[in-house]
Amino acid sequence: MRKSRKSTKNLNTFGYRETSHALYLNSSFSYKALSVDLGLRGELTYTKGISYTYQQTHTNHYFRCFPSIDMRYVINDNNVINVNYSGRIKRPDYHLLDPFRWYSSKYDYSEGNPFLKPSNIHLASLTYMYKDLLFTRIYSSNTTNDFGKMVILDADHIQNQIERADNYLDIYQFGINSELNLQIGTAIESKLSNDITYTNYSSKASQFKSIKGWGVNFTLDNTIAINKKLSASIYMEDNLPGYYNYRKFRNSFLLNIGLHYTNKKKDMTIRLQAEDILKSSTPKYSYYSNGINQIFDNYNDERQINLTVIKKLGNFFNKTKGRFETSNAEEKERL
């Protein structure tokens, strides 16, 4: 890193450059009902952060290898089992790297960290599929050096808040998600899905404690055919109280309803959609910082009614010639 005396003539300017080189190796084979795909990806990354104001430069070089394996076993025409493992990398965005302060009030400011490291993620899953009706996946993931911005309170002046980027957490997660597709007669199509997770957040910062707990999500998406031209949709999503993204959330519930009309010629469609009609999609959440419990109760009003009208005006603009002709094609035919 190069350092020199602080310059007061320049504005707070931060430049960032990132170059990645990747090499992929893939192999696949099959034996009877079993098929296997193997992969290996190597990445060499070079980053350079430049503070033009302070005339400081920070460079970073790192090499990572990410293996992957995917095994698919077809039991019969209706039942399939899949086993998957992969390694991944997650890199910080520019706004997380910019070290200069951004003030939201005289008490609060946000700052990035040019020394952030990328996160390494390992994913493993076991999946079972029955026709197009049922999908079930058991999975686990392990993330090291996860990064983000956390609000840190000044223990002496708790009205002062600092939002600072860092590699805060190691995260282990285990869960199961499934999806069930139902057709009830000819009038109702229903899709029910759920995601149940247990997460262990291991803190690497003294201001935050390690926590662990469950998170549960359910969704129900229904389409009801009223007649050949008109149908209704009902979408519900419920997040039970639990731990999500290091935060302890209260219950949230989203309800959307809609109507869909298509005329007999099928050249006009009208959609009417109402979203978050119960005003309950954004829950309170909390976490501890410096031993102080922070409770956030900010509701961003997502309620809205959308009317969409689509009318087809024929295919005049979609007409294509049988072959491409140059602008002087007719002139050439006269020669």
Side-chain angles (χ1 to χ4, degrees):
M1 175 176 290
R2 301 195 307 269
K3 293 184 178 180
S4 64
R5 289 188 300 175
K6 178 179 176 181
S7 171
T8 59
K9 297 180 180 180
N10 298 324
L11 298 175
N12 290 347
T13 305
F14 178 71
Y16 180 75
R17 301 170 187 171
E18 180 177 299
T19 304
S20 296
H21 303 279
L23 177 65
Y24 299 86
L25 297 175
N26 296 286
S27 178
S28 61
F29 62 90
S30 60
Y31 176 74
K32 295 183 178 179
L34 176 67
S35 60
V36 180
D37 293 321
L38 302 175
L40 180 64
R41 185 176 78 255
E43 291 190 7
L44 175 64
T45 302
Y46 168 80
T47 67
K48 184 177 183 180
I50 306 171
S51 171
Y52 296 100
T53 303
Y54 301 121
Q55 299 183 16
Q56 296 177 358
T57 301
H58 175 255
T59 59
N60 190 19
H61 300 261
Y62 54 87
F63 178 76
R64 299 285 191 275
C65 283
F66 306 101
S68 65
I69 179 171
D70 185 85
M71 294 187 296
R72 178 183 176 91
Y73 182 72
V74 180
I75 301 174
N76 51 44
D77 292 340
N78 298 327
N79 298 275
V80 178
I81 293 177
N82 187 271
V83 177
N84 179 272
Y85 165 79
S86 64
R88 301 179 183 178
I89 189 172
K90 183 174 71 172
R91 297 184 177 89
D93 296 329
Y94 174 83
H95 77 281
L96 293 174
L97 297 165
D98 187 352
F100 292 108
R101 296 179 180 179
W102 181 84
Y103 282 86
S104 56
S105 74
K106 64 178 181 179
Y107 301 111
D108 309 328
Y109 67 85
S110 176
E111 63 182 8
N113 181 0
F115 299 98
L116 284 181
K117 298 178 181 179
S119 299
N120 295 319
I121 306 172
H122 299 274
L123 299 170
S125 65
L126 171 64
T127 303
Y128 168 74
M129 290 173 286
Y130 175 72
K131 296 183 178 180
D132 294 327
L133 301 179
L134 177 65
F135 169 91
T136 300
R137 183 171 72 106
I138 301 173
Y139 63 91
S140 69
S141 66
N142 186 42
T143 304
T144 56
N145 286 324
D146 196 42
F147 50 78
K149 283 188 176 181
M150 289 290 189
V151 176
I152 301 172
L153 296 182
D154 188 332
D156 297 324
H157 305 282
I158 60 174
Q159 76 272 20
N160 296 336
Q161 295 187 123
I162 305 170
E163 190 182 47
R164 180 173 293 153
D166 209 343
N167 294 98
Y168 284 103
L169 300 170
D170 289 337
I171 303 173
Y172 171 76
Q173 189 173 77
F174 172 83
I176 178 170
N177 61 44
S178 57
E179 183 177 296
L180 179 64
N181 297 297
L182 297 175
Q183 181 78 41
I184 304 174
T186 59
I188 301 176
E189 293 182 5
S190 183
K191 179 186 294 185
L192 174 65
S193 62
N194 74 279
D195 191 14
I196 303 172
T197 60
Y198 178 80
T199 309
N200 186 350
Y201 300 94
S202 180
S203 175
K204 306 176 72 172
S206 60
Q207 298 92 343
F208 304 100
K209 63 179 184 180
S210 299
I211 59 175
K212 54 187 175 182
W214 293 91
V216 181
N217 168 271
F218 291 100
T219 62
L220 179 61
D221 192 358
N222 291 315
T223 301
I224 304 170
I226 300 173
N227 54 45
K228 293 182 179 181
K229 300 179 182 179
L230 185 64
S231 63
S233 63
I234 303 175
Y235 177 83
M236 294 179 285
E237 181 175 341
D238 191 17
N239 290 287
L240 299 186
Y243 290 89
Y244 307 88
N245 194 25
Y246 189 74
R247 295 159 174 83
K248 186 176 181 180
F249 276 76
R250 296 189 182 182
N251 187 75
S252 66
F253 181 75
L254 174 66
L255 175 61
N256 300 337
I257 60 174
L259 289 173
H260 182 111
Y261 170 81
T262 303
N263 67 350
K264 186 176 181 180
K265 294 181 178 180
K266 295 185 178 181
D267 60 355
M268 184 176 71
T269 300
I270 301 175
R271 297 191 186 99
L272 181 64
Q273 181 81 12
E275 300 183 0
D276 195 17
I277 48 183
L278 297 181
K279 195 182 177 181
S280 55
S281 64
T282 305
K284 291 182 180 180
Y285 65 89
S286 62
Y287 61 84
Y288 282 86
S289 172
N290 279 347
I292 301 171
N293 188 26
Q294 299 188 80
I295 300 176
F296 296 81
D297 188 16
N298 303 322
Y299 177 75
N300 298 319
D301 198 343
E302 299 292 339
R303 293 174 300 167
Q304 54 183 306
I305 297 177
N306 298 319
L307 177 63
T308 304
V309 179
I310 301 174
K311 173 65 176 176
K312 295 181 180 179
L313 300 176
N315 61 353
F316 176 80
F317 295 102
N318 296 324
K319 290 182 179 180
T320 56
K321 296 181 179 180
R323 60 187 179 89
F324 176 78
E325 295 182 350
T326 61
S327 59
N328 62 342
E330 293 182 1
E331 192 72 25
K332 288 183 177 179
E333 289 178 357
R334 291 199 294 265
L335 295 177

